[in-house]
Amino acid sequence: GQQLNQSPQSMFIQEGEDVSMNCTSSSIFNTWLWYKQEPGEGPVLLIALYKAGELTSNGRLTAQFGITRKDSFLNISASIPSDVGIYFCASGANSKLTFGKGITLSVRP
Amino acid sequence: EPEVTQTPSHQVTQMGQEVILRCVPISNHLYFYWYRQILGQKVEFLVSFYNNEISEKSEIFDDQFSVERPDGSNFTLKIRSTKLEDSAMYFCASRGQYNSPLHFGNGTRLTVT
């Protein structure tokens, strides 16, 4: 089946640093979504991308839909402690989403 | 901001028992979903529901699972005879327009003993 690849599994950064996360696939997708999950909660949508090459920002977050439609990245600038969590990329067609395995982000104060 | 709400937040049940997980999707949404997340793993699609019928289901969603929209607001997931491997977080999600992003609830943690 379709798979979304996210690595590494964990990232550790210092408060104030920028961080970039990648998501790749061997399949072409028409939508890329980035979600954040905090302990005990459901995934929360951060950014949705619908067009190849699209670059979208949401506060300190910026995400891009790759031109090949097989990848996307998420940048977080000037990280703060509350950025900790698991960041999932997701994509899919029609009625269901496929999620990546997620990247756990830790921010050291 | 409207939310997807799920109850209970934690359900403990014995193997072989039936459980019903409840969800209230966002009120004007039309598409409803259940996802599952085994501890430490990725979120997996179970089933989608539109116009009072299942649109699509995954291989996980076998005959032990069923979904229902008993009234205009609730959306339930029933597991008829729970197994140990059903222990997971179960997330309900909904969306308004076709191809608009999913909004997730906070999940129900199901523990099967």
Side-chain angles (χ1 to χ4, degrees), chain B residues 80-110:
Chain B
R80 287 189 188 81
S81 176
T82 51
K83 304 187 285 285
L84 293 176
E85 53 266 37
D86 293 329
S87 296
M89 284 290 287
Y90 287 81
F91 292 106
C92 174
S94 69
R95 65 179 174 190
Q97 300 297 320
Y98 185 75
N99 221 27
S100 60
L102 292 186
H103 294 265
F104 285 84
N106 281 337
T108 293
R109 178 172 298 284
L110 177 65

PDB file of all heavy atoms in Angstrom, chain B residues 80-110:
ATOM      1  N   ARG B  80     -17.520  -5.973  18.660  1.00  0.00           N
ATOM      2  CA  ARG B  80     -18.426  -6.970  19.225  1.00  0.00           C
ATOM      3  C   ARG B  80     -17.771  -7.842  20.281  1.00  0.00           C
ATOM      4  O   ARG B  80     -18.333  -8.086  21.339  1.00  0.00           O
ATOM      5  CB  ARG B  80     -18.985  -7.864  18.123  1.00  0.00           C
ATOM      6  CG  ARG B  80     -20.001  -7.183  17.274  1.00  0.00           C
ATOM      7  CD  ARG B  80     -20.717  -8.125  16.321  1.00  0.00           C
ATOM      8  NE  ARG B  80     -21.557  -7.356  15.412  1.00  0.00           N
ATOM      9  CZ  ARG B  80     -21.115  -6.746  14.320  1.00  0.00           C
ATOM     10  NH1 ARG B  80     -19.861  -6.851  13.972  1.00  0.00           N
ATOM     11  NH2 ARG B  80     -21.929  -6.044  13.570  1.00  0.00           N
ATOM     12  N   SER B  81     -16.603  -8.334  19.991  1.00  0.00           N
ATOM     13  CA  SER B  81     -15.933  -9.242  20.917  1.00  0.00           C
ATOM     14  C   SER B  81     -14.464  -8.842  20.937  1.00  0.00           C
ATOM     15  O   SER B  81     -13.684  -9.230  20.061  1.00  0.00           O
ATOM     16  CB  SER B  81     -16.106 -10.694  20.437  1.00  0.00           C
ATOM     17  OG  SER B  81     -15.391 -11.586  21.277  1.00  0.00           O
ATOM     18  N   THR B  82     -14.110  -8.043  21.923  1.00  0.00           N
ATOM     19  CA  THR B  82     -12.788  -7.430  21.914  1.00  0.00           C
ATOM     20  C   THR B  82     -11.674  -8.452  22.112  1.00  0.00           C
ATOM     21  O   THR B  82     -11.831  -9.448  22.824  1.00  0.00           O
ATOM     22  CB  THR B  82     -12.692  -6.357  23.000  1.00  0.00           C
ATOM     23  OG1 THR B  82     -13.137  -6.928  24.244  1.00  0.00           O
ATOM     24  CG2 THR B  82     -13.532  -5.156  22.658  1.00  0.00           C
ATOM     25  N   LYS B  83     -10.549  -8.150  21.467  1.00  0.00           N
ATOM     26  CA  LYS B  83      -9.345  -8.955  21.613  1.00  0.00           C
ATOM     27  C   LYS B  83      -8.262  -8.090  22.239  1.00  0.00           C
ATOM     28  O   LYS B  83      -8.337  -6.861  22.217  1.00  0.00           O
ATOM     29  CB  LYS B  83      -8.870  -9.456  20.246  1.00  0.00           C
ATOM     30  CG  LYS B  83      -9.924 -10.242  19.464  1.00  0.00           C
ATOM     31  CD  LYS B  83      -9.343 -10.849  18.207  1.00  0.00           C
ATOM     32  CE  LYS B  83      -9.123  -9.847  17.128  1.00  0.00           C
ATOM     33  NZ  LYS B  83     -10.399  -9.452  16.491  1.00  0.00           N
ATOM     34  N   LEU B  84      -7.243  -8.724  22.777  1.00  0.00           N
ATOM     35  CA  LEU B  84      -6.156  -7.969  23.406  1.00  0.00           C
ATOM     36  C   LEU B  84      -5.545  -6.967  22.426  1.00  0.00           C
ATOM     37  O   LEU B  84      -5.227  -5.830  22.808  1.00  0.00           O
ATOM     38  CB  LEU B  84      -5.065  -8.915  23.919  1.00  0.00           C
ATOM     39  CG  LEU B  84      -5.451  -9.826  25.080  1.00  0.00           C
ATOM     40  CD1 LEU B  84      -4.292 -10.776  25.416  1.00  0.00           C
ATOM     41  CD2 LEU B  84      -5.830  -9.024  26.312  1.00  0.00           C
ATOM     42  N   GLU B  85      -5.413  -7.397  21.178  1.00  0.00           N
ATOM     43  CA  GLU B  85      -4.770  -6.534  20.179  1.00  0.00           C
ATOM     44  C   GLU B  85      -5.644  -5.364  19.719  1.00  0.00           C
ATOM     45  O   GLU B  85      -5.204  -4.538  18.926  1.00  0.00           O
ATOM     46  CB  GLU B  85      -4.319  -7.354  18.968  1.00  0.00           C
ATOM     47  CG  GLU B  85      -5.394  -8.209  18.338  1.00  0.00           C
ATOM     48  CD  GLU B  85      -5.399  -9.637  18.862  1.00  0.00           C
ATOM     49  OE1 GLU B  85      -5.140  -9.854  20.071  1.00  0.00           O
ATOM     50  OE2 GLU B  85      -5.683 -10.542  18.049  1.00  0.00           O
ATOM     51  N   ASP B  86      -6.875  -5.294  20.235  1.00  0.00           N
ATOM     52  CA  ASP B  86      -7.716  -4.121  19.963  1.00  0.00           C
ATOM     53  C   ASP B  86      -7.350  -2.942  20.869  1.00  0.00           C
ATOM     54  O   ASP B  86      -7.860  -1.832  20.673  1.00  0.00           O
ATOM     55  CB  ASP B  86      -9.202  -4.459  20.161  1.00  0.00           C
ATOM     56  CG  ASP B  86      -9.715  -5.445  19.122  1.00  0.00           C
ATOM     57  OD1 ASP B  86      -9.214  -5.427  17.976  1.00  0.00           O
ATOM     58  OD2 ASP B  86     -10.618  -6.236  19.471  1.00  0.00           O
ATOM     59  N   SER B  87      -6.502  -3.187  21.849  1.00  0.00           N
ATOM     60  CA  SER B  87      -6.073  -2.101  22.733  1.00  0.00           C
ATOM     61  C   SER B  87      -5.350  -1.032  21.920  1.00  0.00           C
ATOM     62  O   SER B  87      -4.365  -1.322  21.228  1.00  0.00           O
ATOM     63  CB  SER B  87      -5.132  -2.636  23.816  1.00  0.00           C
ATOM     64  OG  SER B  87      -5.794  -3.558  24.654  1.00  0.00           O
ATOM     65  N   ALA B  88      -5.844   0.187  21.987  1.00  0.00           N
ATOM     66  CA  ALA B  88      -5.304   1.280  21.175  1.00  0.00           C
ATOM     67  C   ALA B  88      -6.061   2.557  21.516  1.00  0.00           C
ATOM     68  O   ALA B  88      -7.052   2.541  22.249  1.00  0.00           O
ATOM     69  CB  ALA B  88      -5.465   0.976  19.678  1.00  0.00           C
ATOM     70  N   MET B  89      -5.579   3.657  20.957  1.00  0.00           N
ATOM     71  CA  MET B  89      -6.355   4.902  20.941  1.00  0.00           C
ATOM     72  C   MET B  89      -7.219   4.885  19.703  1.00  0.00           C
ATOM     73  O   MET B  89      -6.742   4.581  18.605  1.00  0.00           O
ATOM     74  CB  MET B  89      -5.428   6.118  20.889  1.00  0.00           C
ATOM     75  CG  MET B  89      -4.755   6.468  22.184  1.00  0.00           C
ATOM     76  SD  MET B  89      -5.879   7.130  23.410  1.00  0.00           S
ATOM     77  CE  MET B  89      -6.197   8.764  22.753  1.00  0.00           C
ATOM     78  N   TYR B  90      -8.487   5.189  19.873  1.00  0.00           N
ATOM     79  CA  TYR B  90      -9.408   5.251  18.743  1.00  0.00           C
ATOM     80  C   TYR B  90      -9.834   6.700  18.562  1.00  0.00           C
ATOM     81  O   TYR B  90     -10.376   7.328  19.469  1.00  0.00           O
ATOM     82  CB  TYR B  90     -10.625   4.352  18.988  1.00  0.00           C
ATOM     83  CG  TYR B  90     -10.277   2.887  18.871  1.00  0.00           C
ATOM     84  CD1 TYR B  90      -9.684   2.215  19.944  1.00  0.00           C
ATOM     85  CD2 TYR B  90     -10.497   2.194  17.690  1.00  0.00           C
ATOM     86  CE1 TYR B  90      -9.337   0.876  19.841  1.00  0.00           C
ATOM     87  CE2 TYR B  90     -10.158   0.843  17.576  1.00  0.00           C
ATOM     88  CZ  TYR B  90      -9.569   0.203  18.652  1.00  0.00           C
ATOM     89  OH  TYR B  90      -9.218  -1.128  18.547  1.00  0.00           O
ATOM     90  N   PHE B  91      -9.557   7.205  17.379  1.00  0.00           N
ATOM     91  CA  PHE B  91      -9.882   8.598  17.072  1.00  0.00           C
ATOM     92  C   PHE B  91     -11.044   8.667  16.096  1.00  0.00           C
ATOM     93  O   PHE B  91     -11.049   7.986  15.068  1.00  0.00           O
ATOM     94  CB  PHE B  91      -8.674   9.307  16.447  1.00  0.00           C
ATOM     95  CG  PHE B  91      -7.525   9.506  17.378  1.00  0.00           C
ATOM     96  CD1 PHE B  91      -6.382   8.734  17.255  1.00  0.00           C
ATOM     97  CD2 PHE B  91      -7.582  10.455  18.386  1.00  0.00           C
ATOM     98  CE1 PHE B  91      -5.309   8.905  18.115  1.00  0.00           C
ATOM     99  CE2 PHE B  91      -6.508  10.627  19.251  1.00  0.00           C
ATOM    100  CZ  PHE B  91      -5.380   9.852  19.112  1.00  0.00           C
ATOM    101  N   CYS B  92     -11.983   9.516  16.423  1.00  0.00           N
ATOM    102  CA  CYS B  92     -13.053   9.866  15.509  1.00  0.00           C
ATOM    103  C   CYS B  92     -12.625  11.135  14.786  1.00  0.00           C
ATOM    104  O   CYS B  92     -11.917  11.979  15.364  1.00  0.00           O
ATOM    105  CB  CYS B  92     -14.326  10.094  16.306  1.00  0.00           C
ATOM    106  SG  CYS B  92     -15.726  10.699  15.366  1.00  0.00           S
ATOM    107  N   ALA B  93     -13.029  11.273  13.539  1.00  0.00           N
ATOM    108  CA  ALA B  93     -12.714  12.482  12.775  1.00  0.00           C
ATOM    109  C   ALA B  93     -13.895  12.811  11.879  1.00  0.00           C
ATOM    110  O   ALA B  93     -14.694  11.934  11.523  1.00  0.00           O
ATOM    111  CB  ALA B  93     -11.443  12.299  11.950  1.00  0.00           C
ATOM    112  N   SER B  94     -13.965  14.083  11.512  1.00  0.00           N
ATOM    113  CA  SER B  94     -15.022  14.469  10.588  1.00  0.00           C
ATOM    114  C   SER B  94     -14.527  15.590   9.695  1.00  0.00           C
ATOM    115  O   SER B  94     -13.518  16.249   9.989  1.00  0.00           O
ATOM    116  CB  SER B  94     -16.279  14.915  11.347  1.00  0.00           C
ATOM    117  OG  SER B  94     -16.078  16.144  12.015  1.00  0.00           O
ATOM    118  N   ARG B  95     -15.224  15.797   8.599  1.00  0.00           N
ATOM    119  CA  ARG B  95     -14.941  16.941   7.749  1.00  0.00           C
ATOM    120  C   ARG B  95     -16.214  17.360   7.057  1.00  0.00           C
ATOM    121  O   ARG B  95     -17.156  16.579   6.896  1.00  0.00           O
ATOM    122  CB  ARG B  95     -13.842  16.644   6.736  1.00  0.00           C
ATOM    123  CG  ARG B  95     -14.162  15.608   5.707  1.00  0.00           C
ATOM    124  CD  ARG B  95     -12.979  15.460   4.774  1.00  0.00           C
ATOM    125  NE  ARG B  95     -13.151  14.376   3.839  1.00  0.00           N
ATOM    126  CZ  ARG B  95     -12.194  13.926   3.047  1.00  0.00           C
ATOM    127  NH1 ARG B  95     -10.988  14.453   3.093  1.00  0.00           N
ATOM    128  NH2 ARG B  95     -12.422  12.934   2.222  1.00  0.00           N
ATOM    129  N   GLY B  96     -16.198  18.619   6.595  1.00  0.00           N
ATOM    130  CA  GLY B  96     -17.385  19.183   5.989  1.00  0.00           C
ATOM    131  C   GLY B  96     -17.473  18.864   4.514  1.00  0.00           C
ATOM    132  O   GLY B  96     -18.269  18.032   4.078  1.00  0.00           O
ATOM    133  N   GLN B  97     -16.636  19.538   3.759  1.00  0.00           N
ATOM    134  CA  GLN B  97     -16.655  19.344   2.313  1.00  0.00           C
ATOM    135  C   GLN B  97     -15.748  18.190   1.924  1.00  0.00           C
ATOM    136  O   GLN B  97     -14.798  17.872   2.620  1.00  0.00           O
ATOM    137  CB  GLN B  97     -16.162  20.615   1.600  1.00  0.00           C
ATOM    138  CG  GLN B  97     -16.987  21.842   1.892  1.00  0.00           C
ATOM    139  CD  GLN B  97     -18.411  21.703   1.417  1.00  0.00           C
ATOM    140  OE1 GLN B  97     -18.661  21.165   0.342  1.00  0.00           O
ATOM    141  NE2 GLN B  97     -19.354  22.164   2.223  1.00  0.00           N
ATOM    142  N   TYR B  98     -16.067  17.590   0.802  1.00  0.00           N
ATOM    143  CA  TYR B  98     -15.198  16.549   0.262  1.00  0.00           C
ATOM    144  C   TYR B  98     -13.824  17.135   0.016  1.00  0.00           C
ATOM    145  O   TYR B  98     -13.666  18.178  -0.548  1.00  0.00           O
ATOM    146  CB  TYR B  98     -15.793  16.031  -1.051  1.00  0.00           C
ATOM    147  CG  TYR B  98     -15.050  14.868  -1.641  1.00  0.00           C
ATOM    148  CD1 TYR B  98     -15.178  13.607  -1.089  1.00  0.00           C
ATOM    149  CD2 TYR B  98     -14.217  15.030  -2.740  1.00  0.00           C
ATOM    150  CE1 TYR B  98     -14.505  12.529  -1.628  1.00  0.00           C
ATOM    151  CE2 TYR B  98     -13.544  13.956  -3.278  1.00  0.00           C
ATOM    152  CZ  TYR B  98     -13.694  12.708  -2.712  1.00  0.00           C
ATOM    153  OH  TYR B  98     -13.025  11.632  -3.241  1.00  0.00           O
ATOM    154  N   ASN B  99     -12.793  16.451   0.493  1.00  0.00           N
ATOM    155  CA  ASN B  99     -11.402  16.859   0.302  1.00  0.00           C
ATOM    156  C   ASN B  99     -10.969  18.008   1.214  1.00  0.00           C
ATOM    157  O   ASN B  99      -9.872  18.535   1.072  1.00  0.00           O
ATOM    158  CB  ASN B  99     -11.113  17.243  -1.151  1.00  0.00           C
ATOM    159  CG  ASN B  99      -9.755  16.719  -1.591  1.00  0.00           C
ATOM    160  OD1 ASN B  99      -9.278  15.720  -1.075  1.00  0.00           O
ATOM    161  ND2 ASN B  99      -9.129  17.411  -2.521  1.00  0.00           N
ATOM    162  N   SER B 100     -11.796  18.429   2.131  1.00  0.00           N
ATOM    163  CA  SER B 100     -11.333  19.382   3.145  1.00  0.00           C
ATOM    164  C   SER B 100     -10.646  18.600   4.263  1.00  0.00           C
ATOM    165  O   SER B 100     -10.849  17.399   4.400  1.00  0.00           O
ATOM    166  CB  SER B 100     -12.504  20.198   3.695  1.00  0.00           C
ATOM    167  OG  SER B 100     -13.458  19.353   4.278  1.00  0.00           O
ATOM    168  N   PRO B 101      -9.800  19.267   5.051  1.00  0.00           N
ATOM    169  CA  PRO B 101      -9.016  18.529   6.054  1.00  0.00           C
ATOM    170  C   PRO B 101      -9.880  17.880   7.130  1.00  0.00           C
ATOM    171  O   PRO B 101     -10.960  18.367   7.462  1.00  0.00           O
ATOM    172  CB  PRO B 101      -8.126  19.605   6.670  1.00  0.00           C
ATOM    173  CG  PRO B 101      -8.094  20.697   5.674  1.00  0.00           C
ATOM    174  CD  PRO B 101      -9.424  20.684   5.012  1.00  0.00           C
ATOM    175  N   LEU B 102      -9.360  16.797   7.682  1.00  0.00           N
ATOM    176  CA  LEU B 102     -10.031  16.118   8.787  1.00  0.00           C
ATOM    177  C   LEU B 102      -9.799  16.854  10.093  1.00  0.00           C
ATOM    178  O   LEU B 102      -8.721  17.388  10.331  1.00  0.00           O
ATOM    179  CB  LEU B 102      -9.482  14.700   8.946  1.00  0.00           C
ATOM    180  CG  LEU B 102      -9.766  13.688   7.849  1.00  0.00           C
ATOM    181  CD1 LEU B 102      -9.249  12.326   8.280  1.00  0.00           C
ATOM    182  CD2 LEU B 102     -11.246  13.605   7.575  1.00  0.00           C
ATOM    183  N   HIS B 103     -10.795  16.836  10.932  1.00  0.00           N
ATOM    184  CA  HIS B 103     -10.675  17.331  12.294  1.00  0.00           C
ATOM    185  C   HIS B 103     -10.854  16.134  13.223  1.00  0.00           C
ATOM    186  O   HIS B 103     -11.864  15.430  13.140  1.00  0.00           O
ATOM    187  CB  HIS B 103     -11.732  18.400  12.580  1.00  0.00           C
ATOM    188  CG  HIS B 103     -11.528  19.639  11.772  1.00  0.00           C
ATOM    189  ND1 HIS B 103     -10.846  20.732  12.255  1.00  0.00           N
ATOM    190  CD2 HIS B 103     -11.882  19.957  10.502  1.00  0.00           C
ATOM    191  CE1 HIS B 103     -10.808  21.671  11.326  1.00  0.00           C
ATOM    192  NE2 HIS B 103     -11.418  21.225  10.256  1.00  0.00           N
ATOM    193  N   PHE B 104      -9.895  15.944  14.102  1.00  0.00           N
ATOM    194  CA  PHE B 104      -9.899  14.778  14.977  1.00  0.00           C
ATOM    195  C   PHE B 104     -10.399  15.122  16.375  1.00  0.00           C
ATOM    196  O   PHE B 104     -10.179  16.230  16.874  1.00  0.00           O
ATOM    197  CB  PHE B 104      -8.481  14.222  15.115  1.00  0.00           C
ATOM    198  CG  PHE B 104      -8.004  13.472  13.903  1.00  0.00           C
ATOM    199  CD1 PHE B 104      -7.453  14.153  12.827  1.00  0.00           C
ATOM    200  CD2 PHE B 104      -8.105  12.096  13.841  1.00  0.00           C
ATOM    201  CE1 PHE B 104      -7.015  13.465  11.699  1.00  0.00           C
ATOM    202  CE2 PHE B 104      -7.657  11.400  12.719  1.00  0.00           C
ATOM    203  CZ  PHE B 104      -7.121  12.085  11.656  1.00  0.00           C
ATOM    204  N   GLY B 105     -11.024  14.133  17.005  1.00  0.00           N
ATOM    205  CA  GLY B 105     -11.310  14.230  18.431  1.00  0.00           C
ATOM    206  C   GLY B 105     -10.070  13.869  19.236  1.00  0.00           C
ATOM    207  O   GLY B 105      -9.030  13.520  18.680  1.00  0.00           O
ATOM    208  N   ASN B 106     -10.191  13.934  20.563  1.00  0.00           N
ATOM    209  CA  ASN B 106      -9.065  13.635  21.434  1.00  0.00           C
ATOM    210  C   ASN B 106      -8.885  12.146  21.702  1.00  0.00           C
ATOM    211  O   ASN B 106      -7.955  11.751  22.392  1.00  0.00           O
ATOM    212  CB  ASN B 106      -9.196  14.381  22.760  1.00  0.00           C
ATOM    213  CG  ASN B 106      -8.767  15.833  22.621  1.00  0.00           C
ATOM    214  OD1 ASN B 106      -8.015  16.184  21.718  1.00  0.00           O
ATOM    215  ND2 ASN B 106      -9.261  16.679  23.502  1.00  0.00           N
ATOM    216  N   GLY B 107      -9.774  11.354  21.184  1.00  0.00           N
ATOM    217  CA  GLY B 107      -9.581   9.916  21.242  1.00  0.00           C
ATOM    218  C   GLY B 107     -10.171   9.248  22.463  1.00  0.00           C
ATOM    219  O   GLY B 107     -10.418   9.887  23.494  1.00  0.00           O
ATOM    220  N   THR B 108     -10.400   7.951  22.320  1.00  0.00           N
ATOM    221  CA  THR B 108     -10.752   7.081  23.444  1.00  0.00           C
ATOM    222  C   THR B 108      -9.660   6.032  23.555  1.00  0.00           C
ATOM    223  O   THR B 108      -9.368   5.338  22.575  1.00  0.00           O
ATOM    224  CB  THR B 108     -12.100   6.368  23.216  1.00  0.00           C
ATOM    225  OG1 THR B 108     -13.144   7.324  23.225  1.00  0.00           O
ATOM    226  CG2 THR B 108     -12.351   5.328  24.310  1.00  0.00           C
ATOM    227  N   ARG B 109      -9.068   5.953  24.741  1.00  0.00           N
ATOM    228  CA  ARG B 109      -8.063   4.906  24.946  1.00  0.00           C
ATOM    229  C   ARG B 109      -8.779   3.632  25.367  1.00  0.00           C
ATOM    230  O   ARG B 109      -9.415   3.596  26.431  1.00  0.00           O
ATOM    231  CB  ARG B 109      -7.056   5.314  26.026  1.00  0.00           C
ATOM    232  CG  ARG B 109      -6.018   4.221  26.304  1.00  0.00           C
ATOM    233  CD  ARG B 109      -4.910   4.695  27.221  1.00  0.00           C
ATOM    234  NE  ARG B 109      -4.146   5.785  26.658  1.00  0.00           N
ATOM    235  CZ  ARG B 109      -3.233   5.667  25.702  1.00  0.00           C
ATOM    236  NH1 ARG B 109      -2.969   4.471  25.182  1.00  0.00           N
ATOM    237  NH2 ARG B 109      -2.586   6.716  25.274  1.00  0.00           N
ATOM    238  N   LEU B 110      -8.713   2.621  24.537  1.00  0.00           N
ATOM    239  CA  LEU B 110      -9.328   1.323  24.847  1.00  0.00           C
ATOM    240  C   LEU B 110      -8.262   0.379  25.347  1.00  0.00           C
ATOM    241  O   LEU B 110      -7.250   0.154  24.669  1.00  0.00           O
ATOM    242  CB  LEU B 110     -10.002   0.736  23.606  1.00  0.00           C
ATOM    243  CG  LEU B 110     -10.625  -0.653  23.787  1.00  0.00           C
ATOM    244  CD1 LEU B 110     -11.787  -0.598  24.777  1.00  0.00           C
ATOM    245  CD2 LEU B 110     -11.084  -1.217  22.457  1.00  0.00           C
TER     246      LEU B 110
END
